[in-house]
Amino acid sequence: MKVELKDIHKRFGPIQANDGITLSIEPGTLHGLLGENGAGKSTLMKVLSGFLSPDRGEIRLDNKTIRFDSPAEAVALGVGMLHQDPLDFPALRVIDNFLLGSPREFLLDRKYHQTRLAELANRFGFRLDPEARVSELSIGERQQLEIVRLLALGVNVLILDEPTTAISTQQRESLFRALSQLTEEGKTVIFVSHKLDEVKSLCSKVTVLAHGRVTGEAAMDCPTKELVKMMFGQVLTVGKRCEVRLGEPILELQNLSLSDWRLEVKDLSLKVQAGEVVGLAGLEGSGQQLVLRACAGLLRPSAGRIWIAHRDMTGRPYQDFIEASIGYMPAARLEEGLIAGMTLAEHIALTERGPSLFIDWTMAVERASQRIREFNIKGQPTTFVGNLSGGNQQRTLLSLLPSQPKLLLMEHPTRGLDMESMEYIWRLLQALTQQGTAILFISSDPEELLERSDRIAIFFGGKVRMMDTCGASLFDLGESIGGKGFE
Amino acid sequence: MNKEFIRRIIPLQIAAILLALSLSAVILTILSISPIDAFSLILSGAFGSPAKLAYVLTAWAPLLLCSAGLLVTFAAGLWNIGIEGQVVMGAVFATGLMRILQDSLPPSAVLLLAALAGLLGGALWGMLVGGLRRYGSVNEIFGGLGLNFIAGSLTVYLILGPWKRPGIGSTSGTEPFPPSLWLPGFKDFQASPIEMILGLIAIASVAIALRDTHFGLRLRAVGMNMKAAFLKGVPVDQDLFLAFGLCGALAGLAGWVLIVGTSARHNLYPLISSGYGYLAILVVLLANLKPFWSVPISFSFAAISMGSLQLPLQRQLDSSLGGVIQGMLVLSVLVINGIRSRWLRHEG
Ligand SMILES: Nc1ncnc2c1ncn2[C@@H]1O[C@H](COP(=O)(O)OP(=O)(O)OP(=O)(O)O)[C@@H](O)[C@H]1O
Ligand SMILES: [Mg+2]
């Protein structure tokens, strides 16, 4: 299906998110959409998939002008979108989510749909248990479910908004295979991303957006430098990780055992010192999150002890962990990290703990403006957080962490940030480590792990192995993540 | 923002009211009652004479107090159906205290202490809902319904048992308190400003608390996203518990007004809460959880309730027709709001 967008305009109050975008995408191709945070990518894709109606402009599918009034209508006409933040129903089972939006039947034939789900999933090498609860799936699996669901609804144009920001390397590979397979079958795929290498290896053509306009189009033999120029108007230099002197132990795990419904981590001991950065690597759901949540006081260990700054914190409530000066940053921004209906200033006031009964709004607004400047958030103190772009929500999340924590525990800290912001955020984090903060972070980006951590803890099916980043190569890391050395 | 409000919200609310009136008119016509006749009866029943207006005002006060309480629990995302029981327990505690102290302390002190007892009774009953939710995993809707039932039965037991009138025990209630224990009204206008002022102060304080205090902000955060609020360090359980307590306290104060208020019966009788709690749920929903709007809305609800009392007197119609109109109003506004948020989502 051929997709054409003509002169699309979309304004949100003072912000012109799309400012006359014209774009055409050939059938059966993988088309990339690049652009820095807040460039207007998600907005454009929401317009194309019926979530937003444009103020002005035209959408043409196979040379016919169409108009949708809802995502359901878009799906009926063959356009489906996988959102940056998952829109599924965590409380439901996989199969129920799969059936959402499918043509009404009076009596559901569950068996039949289960086989259909399994068949579709298998075709793309996805593994989905129909009876699992969506809340128990990883982000990668939720994505797979959503793709399968859209395909089952007969979608011809599939839009993926930053699909690789929170999934494991393996899931990414199977996603890419599936996407190539789809284009071979004649479907059109639009791939929104910040990651130049992904776009380069995957797409046949890219369009670059900046400030709501198209700033360039290129076929995929275009050099990276050119793309960066189109995105930022300049060429970036990459910073170097500086030497850090390690201080006293901040976090000590002694023979820790943890488990949830599908996984067990046994007998883990780990010591993290002040100023140290430890990356947690592994396929998603290999136990990294369990460990991180246990360190935050959100998951009670079944055995073993957790010490933070020489205090035994085992079994204490989360509040005590906060008071012990930890900062925890969850991956699911809009489910656990932020309150969509509150403004930036309200978020600031919410994290403020004081003896006073009344909120000092002047101060809250001032602090919010300060964080906005410091973290380069595109928004005002009075902007509702739910209205920020994905990357700006991520920056907000980072800006809300305590200012001088002893221990930072972060799930995918730079998820959805463009390269420039990612660099900037890590510079801020490294400044913290120089003042003695210890950092534990989960990432699915092997380069980020190697470049930013002093040590990496590699998780595989609940087992853990430590690896020094000094002298290690991407290849070593990749192999270990895949299970090498875990016998 | 304000312009936006005037341009879009107000016309919608007016549309909702018109829709509600026409729907009620249709129902009345089906019942072969002239809608004009019924509406004008209700109007004159509410505002036809100073005495009637006074009556409306005294009904307004408990409604304001209950609405103030519900603004708190709704902000926290809680459905405090148990508010009826909290009103009843406020009345029970106030009555109990007055029975004990009426002969030993000056009347104004008794009234004041009774108000505190009412606050306490309602708060305890509210916190019980919170406790059931927290420790028994009983959803507040079911817990509230259960406790409403218990509060009702307890009143009947007290009226027929320990607190029965000398000689005859009857469900008509306990022995009325002497006029010295009534809130003072005016000579020709039987409404006490104290009740209304209390109600208005309650709404204003809740409005300020929700907007400008840390507690209010935390409650709103919990109401919008409990998980995120918890991770941000909000003591969720404690705050929800307090919200129930606060709502219960205000409802309990309404219970006190129902005992000592100017046009009260001045005794404890079964079903003393008379549906004020449920009505306040409608008020707050209709006000879309906005404190400011719950003031005029609760006033019109009080007027409709009191005005429709004229229906049986003058036309042999049941006064529950007033309830039909109130229900229609709420449904219309909810429907229109639902449609509006669909549009808004579409426009971004
Ligand atoms: N519902 C909304 N209300 C108000 N402003 C909005 C809304 N949605 C997006 N915006 C604003 O429009 C601009 C473009 O946002 P968009 O989500 O399209 O960016 P993006 O290119 O997807 O960025 P990112 O890479 O950070 O996800 C941003 O400045 C954002 O704050
Ligand atoms: Mg986006």
Side-chain angles (χ1 to χ4, degrees):
Chain A
M1 193 174 260
K2 182 171 174 174
V3 180
E4 287 166 290
L5 296 165
K6 290 221 166 109
D7 197 32
I8 301 287
H9 284 78
K10 180 73 192 174
R11 171 183 279 279
F12 297 108
I15 296 160
Q16 189 74 49
N18 285 173
D19 191 6
I21 295 183
T22 300
L23 182 66
S24 122
I25 296 164
E26 293 305 314
T29 59
L30 245 157
H31 194 104
L33 196 58
L34 280 169
E36 61 178 329
N37 291 138
K41 305 179 297 290
S42 299
T43 305
L44 186 67
M45 292 300 106
K46 284 182 191 162
V47 166
L48 175 56
S49 58
F51 278 84
L52 294 173
S53 46
D55 301 335
R56 188 137 60 84
E58 199 184 328
I59 302 171
R60 291 165 70 86
L61 295 179
D62 281 342
N63 302 319
K64 266 211 322 260
T65 301
I66 45 101
R67 225 194 104 83
F68 333 110
D69 283 321
S70 71
E73 282 179 42
V75 168
L77 288 171
V79 183
M81 170 159 175
L82 186 69
H83 282 260
Q84 195 168 359
D85 294 289
L87 290 181
D88 47 18
F89 295 82
L92 295 184
R93 293 183 189 284
V94 166
I95 181 76
D96 299 320
N97 261 289
F98 176 68
L99 292 175
L100 284 176
S102 52
R104 312 263 148 82
E105 288 168 38
F106 184 59
L107 281 175
L108 278 174
D109 183 351
R110 276 181 90 89
K111 263 267 148 47
Y112 165 71
H113 288 292
Q114 283 200 0
T115 16
R116 214 162 56 105
L117 168 64
E119 261 170 28
L120 262 172
N122 277 337
R123 227 174 84 205
F124 298 106
F126 299 160
R127 257 178 294 145
L128 291 169
D129 169 8
E131 291 302 326
R133 264 181 214 290
V134 171
S135 52
E136 292 160 352
L137 301 187
S138 67
I139 294 189
E141 289 166 325
R142 284 164 76 165
Q143 249 174 27
Q144 298 179 344
L145 168 61
E146 188 63 10
I147 293 178
V148 168
R149 186 181 79 86
L150 289 172
L151 291 176
L153 292 175
V155 157
N156 265 320
V157 178
L158 185 64
I159 303 168
L160 300 109
D161 193 355
E162 300 190 32
T164 58
T165 44
I167 63 178
S168 66
T169 319
Q170 197 198 33
Q171 282 169 339
R172 189 173 64 167
E173 274 161 18
S174 73
L175 175 68
F176 286 4
R177 269 197 306 276
L179 294 184
S180 309
Q181 200 177 327
L182 281 173
T183 45
E184 276 159 31
E185 291 170 15
K187 303 211 191 284
T188 309
V189 178
I190 306 178
F191 186 81
V192 180
S193 179
H194 298 294
K195 299 184 182 164
L196 293 178
D197 49 338
E198 284 180 1
V199 172
K200 284 196 74 159
S201 69
L202 200 62
C203 303
S204 51
K205 212 174 153 193
V206 289
T207 302
V208 181
L209 297 188
H211 309 294
R213 301 220 173 109
V214 175
T215 52
E217 291 221 1
M220 230 33 281
D221 41 10
C222 162
T224 311
K225 239 185 178 167
E226 288 301 307
L227 288 177
V228 173
K229 240 190 205 150
M230 286 189 239
M231 278 174 77
F232 300 105
Q234 75 202 46
V235 178
L236 302 168
T237 48
V238 178
K240 284 269 170 316
R241 166 132 180 86
C242 39
E243 276 305 311
V244 182
R245 285 242 308 281
L246 298 184
E248 55 174 319
I250 294 289
L251 173 75
E252 282 171 89
L253 305 179
Q254 289 175 349
N255 308 95
L256 199 67
S257 293
L258 301 163
S259 59
D260 72 355
W261 61 282
R262 63 171 169 188
L263 189 72
E264 217 180 4
V265 174
K266 262 199 195 138
D267 208 23
L268 170 67
S269 295
L270 176 68
K271 195 187 273 183
V272 183
Q273 286 163 278
E276 195 176 16
V277 181
V278 176
L280 308 185
L283 301 177
E284 198 159 331
S286 303
Q288 313 89 302
Q289 213 193 25
L290 290 186
V291 171
L292 203 75
R293 296 210 160 197
C295 296
L298 294 166
L299 180 71
R300 220 174 252 266
S302 50
R305 312 254 109 209
I306 300 173
W307 297 76
I308 292 177
H310 306 297
R311 262 176 67 202
D312 188 351
M313 301 293 288
T314 323
R316 292 199 190 219
Y318 177 61
Q319 294 280 347
D320 288 5
F321 281 73
I322 295 184
E323 271 154 37
S325 180
I326 66 135
Y328 168 68
M329 189 175 125
R333 318 187 252 255
L334 287 180
E335 278 160 40
E336 303 184 340
L338 299 168
I339 298 158
M342 285 196 156
T343 65
L344 275 164
E346 284 177 318
H347 275 83
I348 299 280
L350 191 63
T351 32
E352 218 99 301
R353 284 283 118 60
S356 70
L357 180 62
F358 285 95
I359 299 167
D360 184 345
W361 282 118
T362 338
M363 180 115 104
V365 167
E366 204 174 284
R367 294 231 165 110
S369 320
Q370 191 188 325
R371 309 275 166 97
I372 285 173
R373 275 195 307 277
E374 200 175 321
F375 287 83
N376 195 13
I377 299 167
K378 285 188 187 131
Q380 257 80 57
T382 50
T383 311
F384 287 107
V385 165
N387 289 347
L388 294 171
S389 83
N392 284 304
Q393 285 171 3
Q394 190 70 13
R395 286 176 227 206
T396 306
L397 206 53
L398 285 157
S399 77
L400 291 171
L401 287 169
S403 55
Q404 295 228 314
K406 285 208 179 85
L407 176 62
L408 270 185
L409 303 160
M410 300 188 284
E411 299 177 8
H412 305 282
T414 58
R415 169 182 170 210
L417 294 185
D418 57 52
M419 292 183 309
E420 203 176 21
S421 328
M422 188 159 152
E423 190 58 44
Y424 181 71
I425 291 296
W426 272 112
R427 241 174 300 170
L428 289 182
L429 293 174
Q430 275 153 10
L432 281 179
T433 60
Q434 275 172 334
Q435 293 164 33
T437 299
I439 296 181
L440 227 64
F441 77 100
I442 295 179
S443 173
S444 45
D445 178 353
E447 282 178 48
E448 182 177 39
L449 284 164
L450 268 183
E451 198 176 334
R452 312 295 177 179
S453 349
D454 301 312
R455 281 186 297 157
I456 300 180
I458 302 160
F459 286 73
F460 185 79
K463 296 204 182 71
V464 188
R465 230 170 51 132
M466 296 306 295
M467 173 176 162
D468 239 312
T469 49
C470 182
S473 71
L474 267 181
F475 183 75
D476 297 337
L477 180 58
E479 269 194 337
S480 306
I481 289 175
K484 193 171 172 211
F486 285 94
E487 84 277 322
Chain B
M1 187 72 195
N2 240 331
K3 250 200 227 140
E4 163 101 3
F5 190 78
I6 292 166
R7 217 186 67 217
R8 292 175 110 160
I9 316 282
I10 301 257
L12 280 175
Q13 304 295 47
I14 292 174
I17 289 170
L18 290 179
L19 179 66
L21 288 179
S22 6
L23 285 177
S24 316
V26 169
I27 292 182
L28 289 169
T29 316
I30 292 173
L31 298 174
S32 48
I33 302 163
S34 150
I36 309 263
D37 187 36
F39 290 153
S40 61
L41 264 180
I42 290 178
L43 268 183
S44 68
F47 305 113
S49 69
K52 285 174 177 156
L53 178 61
Y55 218 56
V56 170
L57 290 178
T58 49
W60 186 30
L63 205 50
L64 275 175
L65 286 167
C66 290
S67 305
L70 287 167
L71 284 168
V72 175
T73 41
F74 269 119
L78 299 169
W79 285 84
N80 186 15
I81 306 290
I83 184 153
E84 281 284 311
Q86 292 147 26
V87 175
V88 171
M89 289 314 279
V92 167
F93 271 54
T95 305
L97 184 121
M98 284 161 68
R99 290 177 64 90
I100 296 168
L101 294 181
Q102 60 180 332
D103 299 324
S104 43
L105 283 180
S108 50
V110 175
L111 279 173
L112 189 69
L113 288 174
L116 295 178
L119 281 168
L120 179 71
L124 286 177
W125 215 240
M127 289 198 276
L128 210 51
V129 180
L132 280 173
R133 183 188 141 106
R134 169 74 180 85
Y135 298 105
S137 301
V138 181
N139 180 297
E140 75 270 11
I141 295 180
F142 304 123
L145 281 176
L147 287 170
N148 286 353
F149 188 74
I150 295 177
S153 313
L154 181 70
T155 338
V156 174
Y157 163 74
L158 286 172
I159 293 167
L160 295 180
W163 292 354
K164 71 166 180 258
R165 283 192 202 185
I168 29 132
S170 106
T171 48
S172 68
T174 57
E175 184 73 17
F177 292 107
S180 61
L181 289 176
W182 303 3
L183 286 181
F186 300 99
K187 195 151 162 283
D188 307 308
F189 194 68
Q190 280 303 309
S192 161
I194 297 178
E195 304 168 33
M196 267 160 290
I197 289 173
L198 274 179
L200 290 171
I201 290 179
I203 296 267
S205 331
V206 164
I208 293 171
L210 286 178
R211 200 189 57 202
D212 289 336
T213 67
H214 286 286
F215 172 66
L217 181 68
R218 293 202 308 259
L219 270 193
R220 286 190 290 131
V222 172
M224 288 189 231
N225 186 343
M226 192 182 299
K227 220 162 161 185
F230 174 75
L231 288 178
K232 295 236 166 310
V234 172
V236 174
D237 290 330
Q238 175 202 312
D239 283 353
L240 287 184
F241 208 62
L242 275 177
F244 275 118
L246 208 61
C247 179
L250 289 167
L253 197 60
W256 170 78
V257 166
L258 292 175
I259 298 285
V260 304
T262 11
S263 40
R265 279 159 56 180
H266 307 290
N267 64 348
L268 182 68
Y269 52 93
L271 301 179
I272 185 166
S273 58
S274 343
Y276 279 116
Y278 292 137
L279 203 55
I281 293 180
L282 297 189
V283 167
V284 175
L285 284 180
L286 194 55
N288 199 10
L289 315 194
K290 300 270 184 294
F292 177 80
W293 287 102
S294 48
V295 174
I297 291 172
S298 55
F299 181 77
S300 10
F301 270 40
I304 296 174
S305 294
M306 289 301 127
S308 52
L309 289 180
Q310 292 302 312
L311 294 173
L313 299 181
Q314 310 229 356
R315 292 288 188 282
Q316 269 91 57
L317 297 175
D318 198 82
S319 63
S320 59
L321 277 180
V324 171
I325 298 177
Q326 290 161 340
M328 283 295 165
L329 265 174
V330 173
L331 288 180
S332 317
V333 168
L334 290 182
V335 165
I336 294 228
N337 276 343
I339 293 172
R340 179 181 67 106
S341 66
R342 266 171 61 172
W343 280 7
L344 282 187
R345 202 165 50 228
H346 218 64
E347 292 187 7

